[in-house]
Amino acid sequence: MRVLNIHDSDLYEELIKYHKKNSLIPILGAGFSRGSQAKVGKVPNAKEMINHMKNSLKVTLNESDFNLIQNYNFRELSETYFENCEDREIKKYLNDYFTDVVLSQYQRQFINLNWSHIYTLNIDDAIENNHKNIEVIHPFKEISEFYEENKAEKTHLYKLHGDAREYIKHNQKCILSTSSYLQSLQENRELLSRLISDIKSNCVLYLGCSLDDELDILYQLNLKSGNYNTDLKNTYYVTSSEIENSKIKIQKLKKFGVDTIIKVSDYNDFYSLLQKMDNESTKHSSDEMSLFMNPKFIRTDKGHQNKEKNLQFFINSNQYFNNIENKEIHLPYFLINRDLFNTEENLQKNFFSKNLIIIQGHRYSGKTSALLSLAEMHHNNNIIFISSGNRINTAFLKSLLNEKNITVFLDTGVIDFECWKILKSNVENLINKNIRFVIAVDSSDEFLYQIELLINDQYFKEYIRVNTISNTLTLEETKRINEKLISCVIPEFKLHKNMKFNKRKNQIKTYTPTLLDNVYEILTSQNVTIMLKNIEKMDVDEAKLILLILLATRYRLSYAEIEKYRLDKIVHSFIEDISPVAHFYQTLKLEKNKDDHAGIKLICNSRIWILHNLGKFALDRNNQDLIAKSYKRIVELIIYHYRPYPKKAREEIGKFIKFDDINDIFPKTNKGSLQLIQKIYSNLEDILADNYHFPHQRAKSLSWLNNITELNKAKDYAQVALRKIENTFPNNYESNYSYMHVWYTLATITTKIALINNYQDPPKNIEALNTVYRALSFKENLNYITNDERSNSSKSIREFVKNLSFKCALEKSEQEVLNSLVNLLNSKQVVFK
């Protein structure tokens, strides 16, 4: 336990460091406003309020009952008071002593500092009555979904014990007893989640809080479950008492997670110190942008002496950014340009001539490498590069949009949907200010549907480009990287086409190894230590598996998310077991928003280790039930946590039930682990009946099969999804991206059925023809049709359209539909081979 006074320079530097990151969070107790002038008298202290409650109860209770309450503590007494005394008398007392509170000048300055949010255990109106720009959040009241989406940038005040004015005006009882307090927080899950996340991951500043009542009641919120990461944070208790001389009180503080006592003799001096701290922090508000501005790119040298350094880039996903604090990004010698950007012509078409550039691909397809090679080529210009270990909030995005003549590179997961909406509405601003955003997204990301709207806009389409990067290298790309790997004394990638014997079909077929295949084969051949760690030897249970699935899906988890998925009990010990696969870091100010202001984040350092181990784990059929159970638990917790926010819940669930995402995480040959995915979906069916994404994802998973029975089942699921979307959005379902995409999936299914029947079932042929025509009547769906033979859906649609008129007789009207389809596909330069 450290004991620091306000003149200690270490304390001042610490406070500035944490405040700059929005990690310093005040929790204000009764001592903060005690003695301040209220409407009639002064705000009472605990002892004065106890005397008042006893005097009131003496009138209402009989003598024997009154004797029973003499030794009650504050919480027990307050519960008895609110249950037994006259409501009118209680309201008069609260009105006289807890409303219209006036704070001193120093206190007003303190609460008006640049706090993102404040918690108070007080029921008086001292803070909101003396603050310039505050939004009050009450317990027992769920925050509406509309408010969550549109809330203003104000300091949020969380009134954990309720509010005197709310009780007087709306009979919303104050929360002064343990039972009512715990009940309120359990009912308002979002508030409970934010409080626990802040106490565990940020630097809480307890001010005016008593040890016996206020801190003790916070401790009962199950905060004792889980660990405090003291290396990345501190927890402060401000007091003027000689508390450091009491062994019992010190033990209590340690139990509450406090590691630093701040001793003050005059609280006004402390408020003045914080004012100075706030001013100093504001001066450096642009520090975080400068951290990512114009980094120096340093290539690792070739040769055997640098082999291990180069290998690390395959192992550690964050090796590129380990020295970002010194404004350096390190690159491997073997980093190459993908074909999309390897010639002047391609660079001009896919990069330089655009203001919004999307690089999409599967989970392990080299999107980060593509961004880095582009940024390196562009390094003489004004650039910002933000990696997947970070995310940005809307305030930081708006500051980027105020820049001029700049290129901003954002890796996968850096922006969320709220940021995307702002960016989408500012494309004209990008053009006028010569700003270029280059964003990596996973191929199943919801952003891609939004981008289609912009591409189809006549004004914007010439300024936007979506580039797709495959998770396999072309022959030319393989040759280029192999030349460099040889110079690093690292084994080559396998060539673009390889031969593989299929025992079941007794035939040899060609296949293209993915980047994940190639990298893993290199690492295992080199006996890299981290790759020898095996999760099957780590006694993996449901909680540990959930953590790995979350890291594979998101790469980065805030402590609030760890808390949401109830992983705080196992996360620290398990991360030690798999070290250095993942690591805890402090979050930056630019990462925090009103929904998630956690001060600590967990970053996945080795995506290849997690993806390979999960894939290998899934190959054992004995593990598949546990995987399916873990996915169900994730979805159940999302439903529980976001119960008041169905739209948000649907978005969150979508990140875990998408067929493409699960298939990326659990790869098994070129068709994915279909048996496992079907088991996952079967487990989820009973809890996702109302989620229109779910039947669509089931349909997509079945559409990969070449079995008529399963394809008919897929068609049924797709039609269920269509009707559910129509009923959910009765007035505008045709403009819903999910609706459009379901039609595309249905087109894939019906054309496969026709092809398997070899066009011998005329009704099925006409059904497929009409379905494809309906699907491609949405311009957004036309972009899914490519000439890439690896695209399962494109291939079946192309083949069906190409051969339909040769394989069966068509009526005149049907031939006209087919001709229209061919013209549509020709307009997209689709080649019929």
Side-chain angles (χ1 to χ4, degrees):
M1 181 68 69
R2 295 185 304 167
V3 181
L4 303 176
N5 64 57
I6 62 171
H7 303 296
D8 194 304
S9 60
D10 287 344
L11 173 64
Y12 182 65
E13 293 302 320
E14 266 182 32
L15 295 178
I16 289 176
K17 178 181 76 173
Y18 291 136
H19 192 49
K20 280 198 297 187
K21 295 181 179 179
N22 267 1
S23 289
L24 198 59
I25 312 295
I27 296 183
L28 307 181
F32 177 72
S33 55
R34 180 185 62 219
S36 297
Q37 183 62 51
K39 178 173 283 188
V40 172
K42 293 188 176 182
V43 178
N45 60 29
K47 186 176 180 180
E48 291 166 342
M49 193 168 178
I50 285 172
N51 289 336
H52 166 78
M53 289 190 290
K54 283 185 176 180
N55 289 334
S56 299
L57 288 166
K58 191 172 184 178
V59 177
T60 61
L61 299 178
N62 61 43
E63 186 176 350
S64 60
D65 283 344
F66 183 70
N67 289 334
L68 287 175
I69 68 168
Q70 292 308 303
N71 294 320
Y72 274 17
N73 63 27
F74 183 86
R75 283 171 279 158
E76 294 168 325
L77 190 62
S78 65
E79 188 165 12
T80 308
Y81 172 71
F82 276 93
E83 287 177 354
N84 292 280
C85 290
E86 287 284 338
D87 185 63
R88 187 176 183 83
E89 182 194 332
I90 294 172
K91 286 179 177 175
K92 184 179 187 313
Y93 176 68
L94 295 178
N95 187 62
D96 290 348
Y97 293 95
F98 292 89
T99 68
D100 293 344
V101 177
V102 179
L103 294 175
S104 71
Q105 177 188 347
Y106 287 100
Q107 288 173 309
R108 288 199 302 273
Q109 287 175 349
F110 166 73
I111 62 171
N112 281 283
L113 300 182
N114 289 302
W115 306 116
S116 64
H117 56 287
I118 299 170
Y119 294 99
T120 181
L121 305 169
N122 299 338
I123 62 172
D124 60 55
D125 64 4
I127 300 172
E128 59 268 44
N129 205 39
N130 292 267
H131 198 285
K132 297 172 183 175
N133 188 34
I134 203 158
E135 188 75 30
V136 180
I137 309 295
H138 297 286
F140 286 127
K141 288 187 174 182
E142 290 179 345
I143 302 169
S144 77
E145 194 158 18
F146 177 82
Y147 174 78
E148 280 291 302
E149 293 174 358
N150 297 280
K151 54 193 167 191
E153 292 296 323
K154 295 183 177 181
T155 296
H156 279 195
L157 174 65
Y158 297 103
K159 301 200 77 169
L160 300 177
H161 283 184
D163 181 72
R165 285 188 180 276
E166 286 291 299
Y167 180 63
I168 295 164
K169 189 175 180 181
H170 300 296
N171 292 317
Q172 189 72 60
K173 288 197 173 181
C174 298
I175 303 163
L176 299 175
S177 67
T178 303
S179 59
S180 60
Y181 182 50
L182 295 176
Q183 180 194 351
S184 77
L185 290 177
Q186 288 298 336
E187 289 184 10
N188 193 335
R189 301 163 201 174
E190 185 66 18
L191 178 54
L192 173 62
S193 176
R194 292 178 190 184
L195 173 63
I196 293 176
S197 171
D198 275 330
I199 291 177
K200 288 185 176 180
S201 70
N202 277 309
C203 302
V204 169
L205 186 72
Y206 291 111
L207 181 60
C209 297
S210 69
L211 280 172
D212 294 327
D213 288 312
E214 293 172 312
L215 259 65
D216 193 44
I217 203 170
L218 282 174
Y219 181 66
Q220 293 184 49
L221 295 173
N222 203 27
L223 295 175
K224 53 184 176 289
S225 67
N227 302 294
Y228 297 90
N229 198 314
T230 52
D231 292 340
L232 297 176
K233 63 184 280 292
N234 292 102
T235 301
Y236 302 99
Y237 184 78
V238 184
T239 182
S240 59
S241 304
E242 297 299 319
I243 199 170
E244 68 271 23
N245 297 324
S246 169
K247 188 175 182 179
I248 299 300
K249 290 180 178 179
I250 290 292
Q251 287 171 344
K252 269 194 171 185
L253 285 175
K254 286 182 178 178
K255 182 180 79 168
F256 301 145
V258 173
D259 56 47
T260 305
I261 296 171
I262 300 177
K263 283 296 299 292
V264 299
S265 53
D266 185 335
Y267 278 92
N268 288 341
D269 291 339
F270 179 64
Y271 298 141
S272 296
L273 176 75
L274 292 181
Q275 179 74 62
K276 182 181 175 185
M277 169 209 73
D278 190 66
N279 293 338
E280 187 68 24
S281 299
T282 305
K283 288 179 187 176
H284 298 94
S285 59
S286 62
D287 280 2
E288 290 189 337
M289 185 183 290
S290 67
L291 179 65
F292 302 102
M293 180 82 76
N294 296 325
K296 182 180 180 183
F297 290 88
I298 301 173
R299 283 265 184 169
T300 305
D301 289 336
K302 60 183 177 180
H304 189 273
Q305 67 275 22
N306 294 297
K307 175 184 173 180
E308 291 303 319
K309 287 182 182 177
N310 278 299
L311 269 178
Q312 278 299 314
F313 289 96
F314 280 142
I315 303 162
N316 188 338
S317 315
N318 296 305
Q319 181 75 10
Y320 304 96
F321 313 106
N322 281 347
N323 210 21
I324 195 66
E325 288 189 1
N326 294 324
K327 296 177 71 66
E328 291 179 357
I329 293 179
H330 289 254
L331 305 175
Y333 178 78
F334 56 78
L335 183 70
I336 62 165
N337 296 330
R338 299 295 289 265
D339 287 350
L340 280 163
F341 311 107
N342 196 45
T343 65
E344 286 298 324
E345 181 183 350
N346 283 345
L347 262 176
Q348 184 63 31
K349 181 178 73 172
N350 300 326
F351 181 70
F352 286 118
S353 63
K354 310 299 176 184
N355 292 84
L356 181 57
I357 300 147
I358 306 298
I359 298 178
Q360 65 151 328
H362 285 283
R363 196 158 299 276
Y364 200 91
S365 55
K367 297 186 295 293
T368 300
S369 298
L371 252 63
L372 287 165
S373 63
L374 285 170
E376 184 190 29
M377 282 189 283
H378 208 59
H379 74 278
N380 289 328
N381 299 295
N382 219 16
I383 73 164
I384 284 179
F385 195 106
I386 304 180
S387 68
S388 291
N390 305 287
R391 69 179 179 197
I392 61 173
N393 55 32
T394 55
F396 186 77
L397 177 61
K398 288 173 183 176
S399 68
L400 291 176
L401 292 171
N402 285 328
E403 298 290 317
K404 289 182 180 179
N405 305 315
I406 191 170
T407 299
V408 181
F409 295 88
L410 304 179
D411 207 350
T412 313
V414 171
I415 62 171
D416 62 11
F417 203 71
E418 292 304 310
C419 283
W420 170 251
K421 286 194 292 189
I422 292 171
L423 190 57
K424 188 179 77 169
S425 63
N426 273 275
V427 175
E428 191 168 1
N429 182 49
L430 305 185
I431 298 165
N432 293 335
K433 291 186 175 181
N434 190 29
I435 303 173
R436 184 184 293 114
F437 269 81
V438 191
I439 307 173
V441 298
D442 288 328
S443 53
S444 60
D445 205 305
E446 293 290 341
F447 297 166
L448 293 172
Y449 301 133
Q450 297 280 324
I451 292 161
E452 298 302 335
L453 262 186
L454 296 175
I455 291 175
N456 290 314
D457 186 291
Q458 291 300 311
Y459 177 72
F460 291 134
K461 65 179 183 180
E462 65 179 285
Y463 301 102
I464 299 167
R465 178 76 182 181
V466 177
N467 301 294
T468 301
I469 283 186
S470 173
N471 63 345
T472 61
L473 298 184
T474 65
L475 182 59
E476 290 304 314
E477 288 169 341
T478 306
K479 288 178 180 178
R480 287 202 298 277
I481 196 169
N482 281 347
E483 288 176 9
K484 290 181 171 288
L485 288 172
I486 291 170
S487 299
C488 300
V489 200
I490 294 174
E492 295 180 333
F493 276 19
K494 286 184 176 179
L495 292 177
H496 181 57
K497 293 291 183 184
N498 284 265
M499 310 300 289
K500 186 175 183 179
F501 181 69
N502 187 318
K503 290 182 181 179
R504 187 168 60 85
K505 294 185 177 180
N506 194 30
Q507 65 184 29
I508 295 174
K509 60 182 289 187
T510 61
Y511 78 103
T512 305
T514 65
L515 279 169
L516 191 66
D517 295 333
N518 271 312
V519 172
Y520 181 72
E521 190 160 322
I522 288 173
L523 295 179
T524 49
S525 73
Q526 300 299 297
N527 293 317
V528 175
T529 306
I530 189 175
M531 302 311 293
L532 302 178
K533 288 178 180 281
N534 190 329
I535 61 172
E536 290 187 305
K537 297 176 182 177
M538 297 179 186
D539 189 28
V540 173
D541 57 14
E542 183 184 288
K544 293 173 183 175
L545 193 55
I546 286 173
L547 180 60
L548 291 173
I549 291 169
L550 290 172
L551 285 173
T553 304
R554 298 191 172 178
Y555 314 133
R556 169 203 184 278
L557 288 174
S558 75
Y559 209 93
E561 291 170 315
I562 290 169
E563 184 67 38
K564 181 197 306 178
Y565 293 105
R566 300 181 182 175
L567 301 174
D568 54 316
K569 290 182 181 179
I570 61 98
V571 64
H572 294 274
S573 59
F574 188 52
I575 292 306
E576 287 179 11
D577 290 343
I578 64 173
S579 177
V581 171
H583 197 270
F584 284 103
Y585 299 86
Q586 285 182 332
T587 52
L588 301 170
K589 182 177 180 179
L590 62 87
E591 300 182 73
K592 298 178 180 180
N593 54 47
K594 295 295 183 186
D595 299 326
D596 186 348
H597 26 71
I600 294 172
K601 61 186 175 183
L602 180 64
I603 293 179
C604 172
N605 290 328
S606 187
R607 294 173 199 167
I608 187 168
W609 184 92
I610 286 183
L611 292 175
H612 174 73
N613 268 276
L614 285 175
K616 190 175 178 183
F617 189 74
L619 289 178
D620 185 341
R621 293 189 180 183
N622 294 323
N623 295 327
Q624 291 190 357
D625 284 335
L626 180 59
I627 295 171
K629 187 180 175 185
S630 299
Y631 268 93
K632 184 173 183 179
R633 183 59 176 155
I634 288 171
V635 172
E636 286 174 337
L637 288 169
I638 293 172
I639 292 170
Y640 173 82
H641 189 80
Y642 291 111
R643 182 180 57 80
Y645 316 121
K647 182 180 176 184
K648 182 70 173 174
R650 194 162 55 239
E651 290 172 2
E652 285 296 305
I653 289 168
K655 296 172 184 175
F656 295 96
I657 66 170
K658 285 182 180 172
F659 170 74
D660 292 339
D661 282 353
I662 301 174
N663 201 36
D664 274 353
I665 294 171
F666 297 99
K668 179 187 174 186
T669 70
N670 64 334
K671 286 194 174 180
S673 191
L674 293 178
Q675 181 187 39
L676 168 64
I677 294 173
Q678 292 308 321
K679 187 166 286 191
I680 290 170
Y681 286 153
S682 295
N683 248 27
L684 290 171
E685 194 144 23
D686 61 329
I687 62 172
L688 289 179
D690 294 329
N691 189 311
Y692 60 76
H693 289 305
F694 180 69
H696 179 210
Q697 297 307 316
R698 286 220 72 173
K700 283 184 72 173
S701 69
L702 293 166
S703 72
W704 276 72
L705 302 173
N706 292 314
N707 177 290
I708 292 289
T709 301
E710 295 301 316
L711 287 169
N712 280 322
K713 191 188 296 183
K715 187 171 73 171
D716 290 342
Y717 277 115
Q719 288 169 342
V720 166
L722 285 175
R723 181 55 56 86
K724 193 164 280 294
I725 297 170
E726 288 168 357
N727 289 338
T728 305
F729 308 99
N731 298 321
N732 58 349
Y733 60 83
E734 292 214 349
S735 62
N736 183 283
Y737 299 106
S738 295
Y739 187 75
M740 301 173 194
H741 198 192
V742 177
W743 271 108
Y744 185 82
T745 301
L746 200 54
T748 304
I749 295 164
T750 54
T751 52
K752 283 191 76 171
I753 291 172
L755 292 171
I756 291 171
N757 285 324
N758 197 25
Y759 300 92
Q760 296 304 303
D761 189 336
K764 295 293 184 188
N765 297 337
I766 303 309
E767 179 187 23
L769 174 64
N770 291 328
T771 303
V772 173
Y773 184 75
R774 176 75 169 109
L776 299 189
S777 66
F778 298 108
K779 292 181 181 179
E780 289 79 1
N781 284 339
L782 264 176
N783 294 302
Y784 292 116
I785 303 290
T786 72
N787 296 313
D788 192 340
E789 288 297 310
R790 293 167 295 186
S791 172
N792 182 55
S793 57
S794 288
K795 187 176 179 181
S796 67
I797 291 173
R798 287 199 322 269
E799 186 177 345
F800 172 80
V801 172
K802 172 189 173 184
N803 294 311
L804 182 61
S805 60
F806 301 110
K807 296 285 186 177
C808 62
L810 296 176
E811 299 287 341
K812 182 181 178 182
S813 60
E814 294 161 356
Q815 186 64 50
E816 287 174 354
V817 172
L818 180 60
N819 292 341
S820 297
L821 269 178
V822 171
N823 290 335
L824 268 177
L825 294 169
N826 284 336
S827 72
K828 296 295 292 184
Q829 298 181 321
V830 173
V831 177
F832 297 101
K833 293 183 179 179

